[in-house]
Amino acid sequence: MRKRTATSLPARHSRDARRAHDPVATRKALMLAATDLFASRGFDGASVDEIATASGVNKALINYHFGGKAGLYAAILRQVFEGVSGDLQSIRESDAAADVRLRAVIRLIGEGIDSHPGLPQMVLREVLSGGEHLDDATLPHFLAIFGVVRSIVEEGMKSGVFRKVNPFATHLGLIGSLMFFFSTEKFRRNRIASLPIGFEQPLPADYLSHIEELMVRGLAAEPRRARTRR
């Protein structure tokens, strides 16, 4: 029997060997693969074996780097929300007018969602489950988005830029619109694109511009009418 050499080992083994010496690449591969599986199957439906196979990483490394599937799930959400919440705070603290800051928030959130395929479905599944797998360390970053939107809307009402509205309802309308658009991208591409609907589907950048105008113009305070002299 011919002795198997290192060069004849299966490709997966060689990938594992390389990644064992590159923890950053290992974590990235696991998080990318897990995001897709969590998005399509949910936390309970995505197994450790499937995540390991999809990422080309030994499943023992899931425990080593994340402490298990729950830790991997939390790390994915935390990575996204920590980055977004930090940038949102910068927008919140700027001296720009409320409508300008709200546009910046919409653009930041939308581009953040668009750059993480699978995340919208993953977050929607988490929300629908009642936040069952949202750990205490991630929750504050998750809620920070609402805090920034509320703050900007309230300041806009006080300064007269925005009319009187419910900040929480405004937040739900904004986030709900963005999450629905990005979470249905695959459905639109696979099923709706072939239908004779008579118009082209909007690109992400075009949709973000649409939501910016819709929100800012919808919140705008009505101009004061000049009093007529009797």
Side-chain angles (χ1 to χ4, degrees):
M1 179 181 297
R2 185 172 66 88
K3 184 178 180 180
R4 176 179 282 180
T5 64
T7 56
S8 64
L9 290 174
R12 179 181 172 183
H13 288 185
S14 59
R15 286 199 304 269
D16 286 346
R18 289 195 300 270
R19 283 175 176 158
H21 299 288
D22 189 348
V24 174
T26 297
R27 290 175 63 89
K28 182 177 180 180
L30 286 169
M31 292 174 77
L32 286 173
T35 298
D36 290 339
L37 288 168
F38 287 141
S40 60
R41 302 188 185 183
F43 178 84
D44 295 324
S47 71
V48 169
D49 287 337
E50 288 174 319
I51 294 171
T53 299
S55 62
V57 173
N58 189 304
K59 68 178 182 180
L61 293 177
I62 296 176
N63 283 326
Y64 178 78
H65 286 285
F66 301 100
K69 185 172 76 168
L72 173 57
Y73 184 91
I76 293 169
L77 294 178
R78 190 159 54 246
Q79 180 191 59
V80 175
F81 290 125
E82 281 182 351
V84 170
S85 64
D87 292 335
L88 285 175
Q89 288 302 325
S90 297
I91 296 173
R92 179 182 191 174
E93 296 168 2
S94 76
D95 296 328
D99 54 343
V100 174
R101 283 184 289 157
L102 185 60
R103 287 180 183 275
V105 166
I106 294 170
R107 183 67 53 175
L108 176 65
I109 295 174
E111 290 176 351
I113 295 173
D114 187 35
S115 64
H116 293 82
L119 181 68
Q121 299 96 316
M122 184 176 169
V123 172
L124 284 177
R125 284 181 177 274
E126 182 60 35
V127 171
L128 292 173
S129 74
E132 182 180 356
H133 306 290
L134 192 63
D135 68 354
D136 293 340
T138 308
L139 186 59
H141 297 291
F142 187 78
L143 296 177
I145 298 174
F146 165 63
V148 171
V149 172
R150 180 186 65 183
S151 175
I152 292 174
V153 171
E154 288 178 343
E155 290 175 20
M157 290 190 290
K158 289 179 181 178
S159 65
V161 174
F162 295 150
R163 60 188 176 85
K164 188 176 180 180
V165 295
N166 183 317
F168 187 54
T170 302
H171 168 79
L172 291 176
L174 169 59
I175 300 301
S177 298
L178 294 177
M179 293 299 291
F180 182 82
F181 175 79
F182 287 104
S183 65
T184 58
E185 190 277 332
K186 184 176 180 180
F187 169 72
R188 296 196 309 274
R189 185 179 68 247
N190 293 345
R191 302 301 301 272
I192 303 299
S194 61
L195 298 178
I197 56 179
F199 55 86
E200 293 184 2
Q201 296 189 48
L203 297 173
D206 296 329
Y207 185 75
L208 289 178
S209 296
H210 168 75
I211 292 298
E212 282 184 39
E213 293 300 315
L214 190 67
M215 294 297 298
V216 171
R217 291 177 181 271
L219 291 172
E222 294 183 3
R224 295 180 180 179
R225 297 179 180 177
R227 294 181 180 179
T228 57
R229 295 181 180 180
R230 294 181 179 180

